[in-house]
Amino acid sequence: MRHGLTAFGILLFVGLGSPVHAEDPALGEKLHQENCVSCHGTEVYTRDDRMVDSMSSLITQVNRCNVNLGTGWFDDEVEAVAAYLGENYYNF
């Protein structure tokens, strides 16, 4: 019996690892600057009547924008943008 990882074992190991970008605020800032500020400024995050009141609603809103703009972000990229906004504007 041989020891070590087979090709399947390597793929399984890599697939079970943590996402590369998950909740990465630096990536979120980059994606935000490249995609979000063309539609609106940061005033939507600081206005008194803002609609987002939790991290889950922020992720939902970022994903709504992702779909409407057709950015093609994966879940970890949506979460990275939400992490950036949560840290810098919403204090979640």
Side-chain angles (χ1 to χ4, degrees):
M1 174 181 252
R2 290 180 52 190
H3 295 284
L5 292 175
T6 63
F8 175 76
I10 291 170
L11 290 173
L12 182 61
F13 178 77
V14 171
L16 293 177
S18 61
V20 175
H21 304 299
E23 297 185 25
D24 179 354
L27 174 64
E29 180 178 19
K30 178 181 181 286
L31 292 170
H32 178 266
Q33 290 301 317
E34 292 173 353
N35 297 278
C36 304
V37 296
S38 63
C39 292
H40 58 77
T42 59
E43 72 280 350
V44 299
Y45 313 131
T46 58
R47 66 184 184 204
D48 290 335
D49 64 339
R50 65 186 182 189
M51 297 168 49
V52 172
D53 59 3
S54 67
M55 184 54 98
S56 64
S57 66
L58 179 57
I59 291 170
T60 299
Q61 182 58 45
V62 171
N63 199 50
R64 184 177 295 121
C65 292
N66 173 39
V67 170
N68 289 337
L69 293 174
T71 59
W73 292 344
F74 293 104
D75 290 343
D76 59 328
E77 293 167 313
V78 169
E79 291 171 8
V81 172
Y84 164 71
L85 294 173
E87 284 183 12
N88 290 279
Y89 296 98
Y90 293 96
N91 299 316
F92 295 144

